[in-house]
């Protein structure tokens, strides 16, 4: 009997150290957030964090460009990976460039967190979409995750509304097919074309910072771009995601990671460009430009 008990203990111990077996706490039971090990526990640039405009630094970058996001993608797959619902297999390559990014990034997958991982001014949202893109310098996501500039994730937060979100409904349509634990990692192909751009609103500014993946390996390889404008979703829509089962047949009520320490990391806020002001250089911009030139000249002398 004791031997069986010890064997069971050993088995449980082994499961805990296996990187593929990680989970979220049941927040109804006030479970402590589990330790995921490695850099998840020891890193200093972990995500998510609370974002606040008053604590952010103002930034002005080149325009953030989303290429081919309006394309109708056919044959997009929906999968329950045991931790989230993920869309992949985009046959028209989508790219992200500009903004804080120095390179071109290609979209690899889109997945959802219910409730949001990032908070804005300590307020949590009911849903957050992550559009994960890989720096084209690196051959795949695993390689890219070894580099600080390896990945960029565009995060879209959704606010509670009475208005159903059409793009989210297109995903909800497939949840019954993938929600059960025995369907984990079995992708289902969408019958209708899916337009990724419909998942989020106008690009009305964003907040950007250097962080990590919010799931193991927690690689500190992510340039986060969290859109300032949020998009509507109904609580009924979000409830559909709470039926998803994980490997232990437990329903995934929530799949958001606890907030991580900011560690004095700069969060840069990029406000929407006011065309009427930017087209005709304002006196302030001119004087700032002149000042900058004088500073450079002073350095050179
Ligand atoms: Zn995510």
């Amino acid at each position: 009997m004791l031997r069986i008990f010890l064997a069971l203990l050993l088995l449980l111990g082994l499961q805990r150290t296996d990187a593929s077996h990680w989970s979220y706490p049941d927040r109804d039971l006030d479970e402590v957030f589990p330790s995921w090990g490695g850099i998840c526990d020891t890193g200093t640039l972990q995500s998510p964090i609370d974002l606040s405009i008053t604590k952010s630094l103002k930034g002005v970058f080149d325009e953030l460009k989303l290429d081919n996001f309006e394309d109708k993608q056919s044959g997009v797959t929906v999968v329950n990976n045991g931790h989230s619902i993920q869309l992949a297999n985009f046959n028209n390559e989508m790219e992200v460039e500009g903004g804080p990014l120095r390179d071109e990034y290609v979209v690899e997958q889109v997945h959802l967190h219910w409730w949001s991982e990032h908070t804005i001014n300590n307020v949590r949202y009911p849903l957050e979409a992550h559009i994960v893109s890989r720096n084209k310098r690196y051959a795949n996501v695993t390689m890219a995750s070894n580099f600080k500039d390896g990945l960029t994730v565009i995060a879209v937060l959704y606010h509670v509304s009475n208005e159903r979100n059409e793009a989210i409904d297109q995903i909800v349509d497939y949840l019954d097919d993938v929600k059960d634990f025995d369907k984990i990692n079995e992708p289902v192909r969408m019958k209708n074309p899916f337009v990724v751009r419909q998942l989020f609103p106008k690009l009305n500014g964003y907040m950007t910072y250097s962080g990590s993946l919010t799931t193991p390996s927690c690689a500190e390889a992510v340039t986060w771009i969290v859109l300032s404008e949020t998009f509507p979703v109904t609580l009924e829509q979000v409830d559909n995601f709470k039926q998803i089962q994980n490997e232990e047949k437990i329903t995934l009520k929530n799949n958001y990671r606890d907030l991580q320490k900011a560690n004095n990391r700069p969060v840069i806020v990029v406000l929407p460009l006011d065309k009427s002001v930017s087209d005709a250089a304002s006196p302030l911009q001119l004087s700032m430009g002149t000042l900058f030139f004088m500073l450079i000249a002073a350095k050179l002398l």
Side-chain angles (χ1 to χ4, degrees), residues 83-107:
H83 309 291
S84 181
I85 291 295
Q86 186 167 302
L87 308 186
N89 194 42
F90 304 109
N91 50 11
N92 293 6
E93 189 172 281
M94 290 175 282
E95 284 166 16
V96 184
E97 59 179 319
L101 308 170
R102 291 206 175 91
D103 296 306
E104 282 183 5
Y105 290 69
V106 58
V107 176

Side-chain angles (χ1 to χ4, degrees), residues 171-194:
I171 301 170
V172 167
D173 282 347
Y174 291 91
L175 294 186
D176 269 349
D177 297 340
V178 300
K179 70 179 182 188
D180 293 337
F181 80 99
D182 57 352
K183 300 286 165 53
I184 287 175
N185 293 327
E186 286 183 22
V188 170
R189 213 165 264 270
M190 281 182 153
K191 292 184 191 83
N192 298 320
F194 187 80

Side-chain angles (χ1 to χ4, degrees), residues 111 113 117 130 214:
H111 64 265
H113 295 269
E117 298 214 288
H130 287 162
T214 63

Side-chain angles (χ1 to χ4, degrees), residues 22-28 30-36 39-41 43 45-51 113-119 122 124 128 130 209 211-216 218 224 254-262 265:
W22 55 271
S23 62
Y24 293 100
D26 187 330
R27 306 212 180 240
D28 287 341
D30 287 329
E31 284 179 1
V32 180
F33 202 94
S35 158
W36 285 346
I39 202 171
C40 303
D41 298 342
L45 303 173
Q46 290 292 295
S47 295
I49 57 171
D50 178 57
L51 301 166
H113 295 269
W114 49 94
W115 303 334
S116 73
E117 298 214 288
H118 289 93
T119 56
N122 292 311
R124 198 174 291 283
E128 179 168 340
H130 287 162
Y209 75 96
S212 74
L213 295 173
T214 63
T215 56
C218 306
W224 280 94
N254 296 106
N255 61 351
Y256 64 91
R257 187 186 190 194
D258 274 358
L259 290 175
Q260 303 295 303
K261 287 201 178 85
R265 252 178 293 176

